[in-house]
Amino acid sequence: MSEKKIFRPNVAAIVLSSNYPKVCEILIGHRINIDGYWQFPQGGIEISRDETPKEALLRELLEEIGTNEVEIIAEYPKWISYKFPKEVLEKKKLYIGQKQKYFVVKLKTNAKVNVSTKTPEFKEYKFVSLNDVLNEVSSIKKPIYQEVLSYFEGKNILF
């Protein structure tokens, strides 16, 4: 008897440069294993360790961009779920997709981004304007990113 697949609990970060609020620059990373695939830092919540979303956020930032020296500015008020595309679904044993909690964070003044971490997930990163995020990111991420970015823009957090 096979187990029912579930949505994997996950966090995602809209990382603003330390220049915020003078300038709104958003970090996106180019996935190491998929050409042309840009996204926000994100990762799973370790449920077995009773990890909270905020703890997972700080751990994932350290693992993916080499720093967790951030100030949490805002949290999206709900979880957003999406299903994995067919080619990803075949590789995932337990999960049908992800349910994500989004945070907006600002890099502290002396924080240094370094994607050459112990287990790299990004081959490079760049900061882009709010207007350019959706032009740069993977198509699977666009509907969710649009929803979240619009929410934070409406709250005058992103501009």
Side-chain angles (χ1 to χ4, degrees):
M1 184 163 124
S2 67
E3 293 183 35
K4 183 179 179 193
K5 289 188 175 191
I6 59 172
F7 286 91
R8 175 182 181 230
N10 186 286
V11 292
I14 300 168
V15 179
L16 303 175
S17 78
S18 59
N19 297 323
Y20 179 85
K22 292 178 186 169
V23 180
C24 186
E25 303 165 310
I26 300 170
L27 182 143
I28 56 174
H30 187 189
R31 294 286 306 202
I32 204 162
N33 56 345
I34 310 170
D35 274 345
Y37 195 98
W38 291 82
Q39 68 175 55
F40 297 143
Q42 68 172 46
I45 297 172
E46 294 183 5
I47 301 299
S48 63
R49 291 186 21 213
D50 290 328
E51 190 173 47
T52 67
K54 287 182 181 177
E55 290 168 340
L57 169 72
L58 296 175
R59 179 184 48 75
E60 286 292 337
L61 287 171
L62 189 59
E63 290 175 5
E64 292 191 5
I65 66 168
T67 186
N68 60 8
E69 294 295 314
V70 297
E71 173 190 341
I72 298 174
I73 294 175
E75 179 178 340
Y76 193 67
K78 63 181 184 174
W79 293 84
I80 299 178
S81 298
Y82 71 93
K83 290 185 177 179
F84 289 134
K86 189 174 160 181
E87 62 275 10
V88 174
L89 194 56
E90 293 168 359
K91 297 176 189 174
K92 301 291 183 185
K93 302 290 184 224
L94 300 174
Y95 304 108
I96 192 170
Q98 298 195 107
K99 67 176 185 177
Q100 295 184 302
K101 178 59 94 165
Y102 276 78
F103 294 88
V104 176
V105 302
K106 173 189 172 183
L107 289 170
K108 292 183 178 177
T109 303
N110 294 323
K112 301 287 186 227
V113 174
N114 177 10
V115 294
S116 297
T117 60
K118 183 178 177 183
T119 308
E121 296 202 24
F122 297 127
K123 57 179 141 187
E124 61 182 311
Y125 73 95
K126 61 184 173 182
F127 286 95
V128 297
S129 72
L130 175 62
N131 291 334
D132 290 336
V133 171
L134 295 177
N135 295 329
E136 298 282 345
V137 298
S138 164
S139 61
I140 188 175
K141 302 285 185 184
K142 284 183 184 183
I144 293 169
Y145 283 14
Q146 177 66 58
E147 178 181 339
V148 173
L149 293 170
S150 292
Y151 172 82
F152 288 122
E153 186 178 18
K155 296 287 184 186
N156 295 317
I157 294 168
L158 301 178
F159 50 88

